[in-house]
Amino acid sequence: MYEDDIESVLLSEEQVQEKVRELAGQISKDYRGREVLLVGVLKGAFILMADLARHLTVPHEFDFMAVSSYGSATQSSGVVRILKDLDRNIQGRDVLLVEDIIDSGLTLSYLLKNLRSRRPATIEVCSLLCKPEQLKADIEVKYKGFDIPSVFVVGYGLDYAERYRNLPFVATLRPEVYRTG
Ligand code: IMP
Ligand code: MG
C-alpha cells in the first residue's frame, strides 16, 4: 500500500518484534508478583501496547491518555494539553507509561510530572524508540527499544499526517512524500 513512499527501512519487522519480546521479558521479570497498569500515550503507542501486552506474563490493565503538544508541526514545545485523561485513579498503582518515540522528551517530562502528582506506587517508562541527540529533558527510560538518529521515521504506530502507523517496520519516507502531502 505504502511501498512506494518508503525511502529506507531503519528497523525491520523481525528486529522490532524481537526487541518487543525482549522488553516484555524484562518487564515480566521486574514486575513479578505485582499487577502493572500500562498507560499508553495515544495514538502512537497503540501498536506497541498491543504487541507488548501479548508477551507479558504478569497481570496487567490498560489505560490511555491523549495529549496535544503546542508548538510547530515538527517540534514540541513542552507545553502539553490533555485531550483524554486516564479513566481510573492511579494512586498506589505500578504504572508503566508506554510511548512510541521520545524525541525532545518534553511531552514525556510533562506527563511524568503530571502522573507523579497522582501518587502512583511506582512509575516507569517504556519506549520503542529514542532520539538521544534531540533529548532536552532529563528523563530515565527504563525499558528502551532502540536509539535512532535524528531523522523523521514512520511505522509501528508512528505517523506522518496520520498515515503509515500500520507498517510493521520503522522507516524513513522519500522526500517527495513531504512535498506532495
Ligand atoms: P517530544 O515531546 O519531542 O519527545 O515528542 C514526542 C512525540 O513527537 C512522539 O510521541 C511523536 O508523536 C512525535 N514524533 C517525534 N519524532 C517522530 C518521528 O520521527 N516520527 C513520527 N512522530 C514523531
Ligand atoms: Mg504524531
Side-chain angles (χ1 to χ4, degrees), residues 77-105:
S77 62
V79 182
V80 174
R81 192 157 60 101
I82 294 178
L83 303 177
K84 185 223 169 287
D85 205 344
L86 298 175
D87 291 339
R88 306 272 292 275
N89 192 339
I90 59 168
Q91 191 172 350
R93 301 294 309 265
D94 289 309
V95 174
L96 182 61
L97 195 59
V98 181
E99 264 279 25
D100 50 358
I101 189 166
I102 298 165
D103 190 11
S104 69

Side-chain angles (χ1 to χ4, degrees), residues 12 14 27 33 37-38 63 70 78 86 90 95 97 102 116 122 128 131 134 151 155-158 160 170:
S12 69
E14 292 71 25
I27 293 164
L37 178 66
L38 302 174
D63 209 337
Y70 293 111
L86 298 175
I90 59 168
V95 174
L97 195 59
I102 298 165
R116 280 201 181 106
T122 63
L128 182 73
K131 292 181 184 171
Q134 296 294 114
V151 290
Y156 205 74
L158 292 156
Y160 169 63
V170 175

Side-chain angles (χ1 to χ4, degrees), residues 4 9 24 31 34 42 53 56 59 64 72 81 84 87 90 96 111 114 122-123 133 135 144 149 155 164-165 167 173:
D4 296 345
V9 174
Y31 288 88
R34 293 188 280 164
L42 293 172
L56 288 179
F64 291 93
S72 68
R81 192 157 60 101
K84 185 223 169 287
D87 291 339
I90 59 168
L96 182 61
L111 275 177
N114 180 296
T122 63
I123 183 159
E133 292 159 31
L135 207 56
K144 180 165 69 175
Y164 310 104
R165 293 192 197 272
L167 296 175
L173 293 172

Side-chain angles (χ1 to χ4, degrees), residues 15-111:
Q15 281 176 294
V16 171
Q17 287 302 327
E18 191 187 326
K19 186 62 79 175
V20 172
R21 271 197 301 276
E22 195 182 305
L23 290 171
Q26 263 175 276
I27 293 164
S28 299
K29 190 163 143 256
D30 292 354
Y31 288 88
R32 188 171 301 160
R34 293 188 280 164
E35 185 178 38
V36 191
L37 178 66
L38 302 174
V39 171
V41 184
L42 293 172
K43 299 169 208 167
F46 80 110
I47 303 261
L48 174 60
M49 280 276 263
D51 282 351
L52 191 70
R54 285 178 287 184
H55 291 299
L56 288 179
T57 57
V58 287
H60 53 275
E61 291 178 9
F62 298 88
D63 209 337
F64 291 93
M65 283 183 92
V67 298
S68 88
S69 83
Y70 293 111
S72 68
T74 51
Q75 289 227 301
S76 87
S77 62
V79 182
V80 174
R81 192 157 60 101
I82 294 178
L83 303 177
K84 185 223 169 287
D85 205 344
L86 298 175
D87 291 339
R88 306 272 292 275
N89 192 339
I90 59 168
Q91 191 172 350
R93 301 294 309 265
D94 289 309
V95 174
L96 182 61
L97 195 59
V98 181
E99 264 279 25
D100 50 358
I101 189 166
I102 298 165
D103 190 11
S104 69
L106 293 171
T107 308
L108 185 65
S109 167
Y110 171 89
L111 275 177

